Amino acid sequence: MKLYSFRQSLIVIMTILIICTVISAKEINSNVGTSSFNFLKINVGARAVSMGGAFTGLADDASALYYNPAGITKFENTNYTAGYQNYFTDIQSGFLGYIRPNIEKGYALGWYISYLNYGTMIRTDGLGNELGEFGGGDLLAAMTFATKKGYDLSFGATIKFIYETIDEYSASGIALDLGVRYSQLRDRLSFGLAVQNLGTQFSSLGDEKDRLPLTFRGGTAYHPRGLPLIMSGDLIIPVDNDPVIALGAEYFELKPLYLRIGWNSFGSNYRTADSEDSWAGLSLGAGFDYNNMQISYAFALGAELGDSHRITLTKGM
């Protein structure tokens, strides 16, 4: 009876936190563009991206390392993941992760690294004369620990070390992610709550240090009984932008083939004022199981900025 009451209380707390965050979000828009290390907000994992980034409550594959660290307790075997993204223009990024569970002791350890390469840019003077080329990029190294309380409830934390460089300038920092995941109905219904990028800069590209892109995430996922379908939804609250809604679905009747679709309201930021492209924010994808591995692909529409492609390989599913 006590455990049942605790579970009910947890759901109520999650709901209250999300509602309070939405109410306070009216003042968030004034902080647009005031955060550093914005690459931390780029979603990872082809499966999650093809589902619109609605993965905080689901968090059931290795990309949970990014979306909700509490999710890595779901694994029974060692899990590896590697991903590549061809982003807008000639920007590229990658993600490499590892998860090692300890079933007997009820915890899991993980680490991941990710990078973002800005490509080559042309340096000019005040008159527009070309003075050569320069580049830049971001690098992140992270370690995750998660533990379970019974079968249904798990908690996780990730510490992240961040490095950024543009031309001869560089910046560094440290951040912490915290997450909780709660499931019911033999994991057919799950809830997640995460706080990302609690931290600070050690050094900055300019004279003053900027705050990190602190983000609050709340989400849920549901697998209807008897249907080969998973539906998910997230509410994402960044402190430096407007709230974002993410929705996704995965259809697996054709196993080992998976079909996915998603939508993310942040896509509206990719459109110019006179744009007629109403599809920005839509994402599509597919996955295929083979020999204890899954290969996933995601295609996301980005309006004037251009479309992006992601591919992810996961082993140990």
Side-chain angles (χ1 to χ4, degrees), residues 116-133:
L116 179 70
N117 187 320
Y118 302 148
T120 301
M121 292 168 277
I122 298 175
R123 179 186 288 107
T124 61
D125 60 20
L127 298 176
N129 299 312
E130 295 187 8
L131 302 176
E133 297 179 342

Side-chain angles (χ1 to χ4, degrees), residues 105-260:
K105 296 184 178 180
Y107 70 84
L109 298 173
W111 61 260
Y112 72 91
I113 58 175
S114 65
Y115 75 89
L116 179 70
N117 187 320
Y118 302 148
T120 301
M121 292 168 277
I122 298 175
R123 179 186 288 107
T124 61
D125 60 20
L127 298 176
N129 299 312
E130 295 187 8
L131 302 176
E133 297 179 342
F134 69 99
D138 300 286
L139 180 65
L140 180 149
M143 295 178 291
T144 299
F145 173 81
T147 185
K148 300 180 69 172
K149 182 178 177 62
Y151 176 80
D152 298 328
L153 182 63
S154 59
F155 303 89
T158 299
I159 185 168
K160 305 188 290 191
F161 302 93
I162 312 156
Y163 180 75
E164 182 176 62
T165 178
I166 299 178
D167 201 6
E168 71 269 22
Y169 304 99
S170 64
S172 61
I174 188 171
L176 179 70
D177 292 353
L178 300 173
V180 59
R181 187 181 186 275
Y182 173 68
S183 64
Q184 279 280 276
L185 306 176
R186 296 183 178 180
D187 214 31
R188 289 192 297 108
L189 176 65
S190 58
F191 304 89
L193 191 66
V195 181
Q196 297 175 309
N197 306 319
L198 288 160
T200 185
Q201 280 191 319
F202 294 142
S203 60
S204 65
L205 297 174
D207 296 329
E208 297 183 1
K209 295 180 182 179
D210 297 316
R211 62 183 178 181
L212 271 60
L214 180 65
T215 302
F216 299 90
R217 305 179 68 104
T220 185
Y222 181 54
H223 172 197
R225 184 188 298 274
L227 292 180
L229 181 69
I230 295 175
M231 299 176 291
S232 61
D234 271 20
L235 176 62
I236 305 163
I237 312 291
V239 298
D240 60 351
N241 213 320
D242 294 327
V244 173
I245 295 174
L247 302 172
E250 179 180 63
Y251 179 74
F252 51 89
E253 174 69 20
L254 306 176
K255 274 186 175 182
L257 176 66
Y258 301 78
L259 301 177
R260 298 156 185 151

Side-chain angles (χ1 to χ4, degrees), residues 12-133:
V12 171
I13 291 171
M14 286 183 176
T15 304
I16 292 173
L17 285 173
I18 293 173
I19 292 174
C20 290
T21 308
V22 172
I23 293 174
S24 64
K26 294 179 180 180
E27 301 178 0
I28 288 177
N29 195 50
S30 62
N31 296 320
V32 171
T34 61
S35 295
S36 59
F37 303 134
N38 282 296
F39 83 103
L40 296 173
K41 297 188 291 185
I42 297 176
N43 290 335
V44 305
R47 179 178 178 231
V49 169
S50 63
M51 297 176 70
F55 217 69
T56 310
L58 187 55
D60 65 349
D61 71 16
S63 60
L65 288 165
Y66 171 84
Y67 295 95
N68 186 349
I72 71 170
T73 61
K74 286 185 56 62
F75 303 112
E76 297 182 357
N77 304 306
T78 300
N79 199 284
Y80 307 86
T81 185
Y84 171 78
Q85 175 188 5
N86 184 350
Y87 209 52
F88 308 126
T89 62
D90 59 348
I91 298 175
Q92 302 174 54
S93 67
F95 182 90
L96 181 66
Y98 170 84
I99 299 169
R100 184 177 180 83
N102 189 318
I103 304 299
E104 295 181 357
K105 296 184 178 180
Y107 70 84
L109 298 173
W111 61 260
Y112 72 91
I113 58 175
S114 65
Y115 75 89
L116 179 70
N117 187 320
Y118 302 148
T120 301
M121 292 168 277
I122 298 175
R123 179 186 288 107
T124 61
D125 60 20
L127 298 176
N129 299 312
E130 295 187 8
L131 302 176
E133 297 179 342

